[in-house]
Amino acid sequence: MTGKVKLVSAGGGSVSLATPSTGSNRTLTLPDADVTIPNAIPSADAGYSKNVLTTQGDTLYASGANTLARLAKGTAGQTLKMNSGATAPEWTTVTAGFETEEYDEWRLTTEFTGPVDPLTANLERPDTGNFEKIGTGVTQSSGVWTFPSTGKWLITTNSTHYKQGTARYPGSIHHTTVDNGSNWVETAQGYGWIDYGSNAAGNTVTVRTLFDCTNTSTHKFKWEIHDSDGDGTTTWGVTGRNLTYISFWKIGST
């Protein structure tokens, strides 16, 4: 027998090939050198319900178990990457040199007086100035910050303080853990001297930490506000602009 055989299931079910019962019949094994596989997807007029790939350059991917989906072609110069949910590929435009995958900011919305360890309350992601986070963003619970993905994170805090009456040196302290909070390490500190004159005086303290997060379940961060006076220095925060704030920037892979 020569030629091609087209198998069609009229009822929409599956079609199976029975194993030949006699030695004279040929056993068909796929892939088979004598079986021709078409290099193009048949069109609807050939008896198929739809053409999955509609445009030259489209890509097929598995959208579920035994299910194919179409990813429309991208534009010139784009590259494929996995989406943030790790469920499907997507096209992305890569800028020259480096593309930021994750960046997030949070700010203090209400001022407070005295030290806190860690800072937990009155924090918001900026909702003014056309701010928009990049990627998934970090989360905070009871002052403990969790990273959305592994990588090398540059963490920057900026704290603004003022004091009336006496000289003080408030500041910020960074703490990190690699065992989900069983042990915390002071990784960075910064202080600013407030020399009181006739009126209230203030300062701003910036502190940075580069943290290698290799496990998002165990590697965390917290932010302490220090006050040498115990309870006399005010940390300034308002909604509407950044005065006391924290930023998280993923700058590389772990």
Side-chain angles (χ1 to χ4, degrees):
M1 174 180 175
T2 60
K4 300 178 182 178
V5 177
K6 178 180 179 182
L7 299 178
V8 178
S9 176
S14 61
V15 176
S16 61
L17 294 177
T19 302
S21 58
T22 63
S24 61
N25 291 332
R26 185 173 184 275
T27 299
L28 179 64
T29 302
L30 296 178
D32 191 285
D34 295 330
V35 177
T36 301
I37 304 297
N39 60 6
I41 297 177
S43 59
D45 58 8
Y48 292 84
S49 60
K50 73 173 185 176
N51 192 351
V52 179
L53 300 182
T54 61
T55 306
Q56 181 179 357
D58 287 351
T59 302
L60 277 178
Y61 70 94
S63 60
N66 301 317
T67 304
L68 293 177
R70 168 182 174 262
L71 175 65
K73 70 173 184 177
T75 59
Q78 285 191 311
T79 58
L80 272 177
K81 73 171 186 177
M82 189 60 63
N83 64 14
S84 59
T87 58
E90 64 182 9
W91 294 104
T92 184
T93 300
V94 179
T95 56
F98 176 75
E99 181 185 14
T100 296
E101 296 180 2
E102 291 278 355
Y103 181 85
D104 202 1
E105 283 183 8
W106 291 74
R107 66 186 174 205
L108 181 68
T109 62
T110 304
E111 65 182 39
F112 64 89
T113 300
V116 292
D117 180 17
L119 180 60
T120 62
N122 301 315
L123 293 165
E124 70 171 7
R125 187 174 280 127
D127 52 6
T128 57
N130 206 33
F131 173 81
E132 184 177 356
K133 65 180 174 64
I134 300 174
T136 304
V138 298
T139 56
Q140 182 263 145
S141 177
S142 300
V144 176
W145 297 88
T146 298
F147 302 90
S149 61
T150 59
K152 291 181 171 62
W153 290 81
L154 180 61
I155 307 164
T156 303
T157 60
N158 187 87
S159 55
T160 301
H161 312 272
Y162 68 88
K163 173 68 179 177
Q164 187 169 6
T166 54
R168 292 291 180 264
Y169 52 94
S172 289
I173 302 175
H174 290 186
H175 302 262
T176 59
T177 181
V178 296
D179 53 17
N180 201 25
S182 296
N183 296 280
W184 289 96
V185 177
E186 291 187 7
T187 56
Q189 298 181 358
Y191 301 94
W193 179 257
I194 296 178
D195 189 6
Y196 171 73
S198 59
N199 297 305
N203 66 18
T204 297
V205 178
T206 300
V207 182
R208 287 190 176 93
T209 291
L210 181 61
F211 184 51
D212 187 11
C213 176
T214 59
N215 186 324
T216 59
S217 297
T218 58
H219 290 49
K220 312 284 185 177
F221 176 86
K222 67 177 182 177
W223 180 16
E224 175 186 353
I225 300 295
H226 177 78
D227 181 7
S228 66
D229 191 29
D231 62 359
T233 304
T234 298
T235 300
W236 196 8
V238 298
T239 185
R241 64 184 184 276
N242 288 1
L243 285 171
T244 296
Y245 60 91
I246 184 170
S247 66
F248 297 85
W249 182 15
K250 183 177 176 179
I251 62 174
S253 301
T254 183

